[in-house]
């Protein structure tokens, strides 16, 4: 992973201000209530906490300079974590007029509850859970914006039965899916487990539709994201989507299954 230049700049600014004030690392550490080793860690651009940034602003009377740098640093870190192609995909997602989403493993981020998101991120990106969770929740506003997109969500039944975060988290997640299926612009269907092998078991994917632009697609596997723009590859995803829809339960039966799995938890 590339160095976080914002974190390095934070350290350089801290060292500059400390030296201008003619303070040793120990002097500053004593003033902040931390160790000289922690001051050195920050100055070397290895790690910074939000509280330390706030304490530095208070001590040096910088008017929020260090806290602003800390927020920039976290923004850069989050972009490092996101799979390649995903930041670009998000820009398309914000203005798409239709979503066709298939989930083979986990509930798509557009439909995740906060608890479900946290349960995933706590095992993969523990240092940035708060920032990533907030961004994912903010992302969901795309589903309820003024120009409401039409959304078709297909889930493999295994997604419903995978107890991410435990029974309470999954119960809330399934209830949220049921509520989403009540929206006039959202259709949720499930491929039952007895289907066996089907074309979607190769991985999740999303097809975005637009009023005056070609469709886009995005797929992700093992942390690697692929933004698909070539017409022939998008057609391949569209065919795969049509094949999957052939295996789904009708909407009412899908809702009944969602409710049954939720109540069994």
């Amino acid at each position: 992973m590339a160095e976080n230049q914002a974190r390095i700049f934070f350290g350089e600014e801290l060292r500059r201000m400390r030296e201008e004030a003619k303070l040793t690392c120990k002097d500053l550490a004593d003033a902040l209530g931390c160790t000289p080793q922690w001051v050195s860690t920050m100055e070397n651009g290895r790690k910074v906490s939000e509280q330390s940034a706030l304490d530095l602003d208070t001590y040096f009377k910088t008017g929020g300079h260090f806290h602003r740098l800390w927020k920039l640093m976290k923004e850069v870190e989050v972009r490092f974590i996101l799979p390649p192609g995903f930041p670009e995909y998000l820009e398309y997602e914000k203005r798409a007029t239709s979503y066709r989403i298939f989930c083979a493993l986990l509930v798509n981020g557009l439909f995740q509850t906060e608890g479900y998101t946290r349960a995933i991120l706590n095992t993969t990106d523990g240092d940035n859970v708060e920032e990533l969770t907030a961004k994912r929740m903010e992302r969901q506003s795309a589903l309820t914006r003024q120009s409401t997109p039409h959304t078709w969500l297909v889930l493999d039944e295994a997604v419903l039965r995978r107890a991410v975060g435990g029974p309470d988290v999954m119960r809330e997640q399934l209830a949220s899916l049921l509520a989403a299926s009540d929206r006039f612009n959202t259709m949720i269907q499930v491929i039952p487990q007895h289907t066996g092998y089907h074309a979607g078991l190769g991985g999740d994917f999303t097809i975005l539709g637009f009023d005056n632009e070609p469709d886009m697609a995005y797929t992700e596997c093992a942390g690697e994201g692929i933004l698909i723009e070539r017409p022939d590859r998008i057609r391949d995803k569209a065919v795969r989507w049509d094949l999957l829809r052939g295996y789904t339960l009708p909407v009412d039966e899908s809702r009944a299954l969602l409710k049954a799995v939720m109540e069994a938890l």
Side-chain angles (χ1 to χ4, degrees):
M1 180 183 294
E3 289 283 354
N4 185 333
Q5 295 301 316
R7 191 170 63 239
I8 291 172
F9 182 65
F10 185 107
E12 291 172 348
E13 282 289 275
L14 172 55
R15 183 179 290 109
R16 179 182 65 80
M17 287 194 180
R18 176 179 63 77
E19 291 176 348
E20 285 181 357
K22 302 188 184 311
L23 298 170
T24 66
C25 283
K26 185 178 186 308
D27 292 335
L28 183 57
D30 289 343
L32 298 178
C34 63
T35 66
Q37 290 77 17
W38 177 243
V39 173
S40 178
T41 294
M42 291 191 289
E43 288 189 354
N44 290 325
R46 293 197 297 271
K47 194 171 184 180
V48 180
S49 71
E50 182 177 18
Q51 188 58 54
S52 290
L54 293 169
D55 291 343
L56 287 167
D57 280 329
T58 299
Y59 182 77
F60 286 110
K61 297 180 174 58
T62 58
H65 175 63
F66 282 109
H67 192 239
R68 288 191 292 273
L69 285 179
W70 177 86
K71 288 194 287 187
L72 176 62
M73 179 192 77
K74 299 305 287 185
E75 287 283 338
V76 173
E77 284 183 359
V78 167
R79 288 190 70 85
F80 279 154
I81 291 167
L82 297 176
F86 190 68
E88 293 81 5
Y89 162 78
L90 288 178
E91 294 305 310
Y92 288 105
E93 184 183 80
K94 290 175 184 176
R95 53 189 179 82
T97 55
S98 69
Y99 303 126
R100 286 175 281 175
I101 303 169
F102 171 69
C103 306
L105 302 172
L106 296 168
V107 175
N108 184 275
L110 279 172
F111 288 87
Q112 289 178 8
T113 62
E114 187 170 331
Y116 190 94
T117 295
R118 286 180 181 278
I120 295 169
L121 295 177
N122 276 325
T123 65
T124 58
D125 300 296
D127 290 339
N128 297 284
V129 170
E130 296 303 320
E131 292 78 14
L132 289 168
T133 299
K135 284 188 172 298
R136 190 161 298 179
M137 296 303 103
E138 179 185 342
R139 175 186 165 199
Q140 295 177 4
S141 63
L143 294 175
T144 55
R145 64 182 188 264
Q146 187 172 3
S147 53
T148 311
H150 293 284
T151 306
W152 294 267
L153 175 66
V154 172
L155 309 102
D156 190 278
E157 185 179 340
V159 176
L160 311 182
R161 298 191 179 278
R162 183 169 291 109
V164 174
D168 289 343
V169 170
M170 277 308 298
R171 195 177 296 113
E172 180 185 38
Q173 177 62 73
L174 294 174
S176 178
L177 287 172
L178 279 169
S181 70
D182 283 334
R183 295 199 292 257
F184 77 94
N185 64 318
T186 303
M187 178 180 291
I188 297 179
Q189 292 179 278
V190 179
I191 297 176
Q193 279 186 325
H194 63 69
T195 300
Y197 180 82
H198 58 75
L201 294 181
D204 300 7
F205 65 90
T206 299
I207 303 172
L208 303 179
F210 303 88
D211 286 339
N212 300 303
E213 301 174 54
D215 289 354
M216 304 286 297
Y218 179 81
T219 186
E220 192 174 305
C221 182
E224 294 295 324
I226 302 173
L227 183 65
I228 301 170
E229 301 180 75
R230 278 175 41 187
D232 58 327
R233 296 185 64 193
I234 294 171
R235 283 195 298 271
D236 176 70
K237 293 299 181 189
V239 169
R240 191 175 297 259
W241 172 261
D242 289 340
L243 290 171
L244 291 174
R245 289 291 303 278
Y247 289 115
T248 58
L249 296 172
V251 171
D252 288 346
E253 291 181 29
S254 294
R255 283 179 54 84
L257 179 58
L258 273 165
K259 188 175 182 181
V261 174
M262 180 183 70
E263 293 175 348
L265 289 168

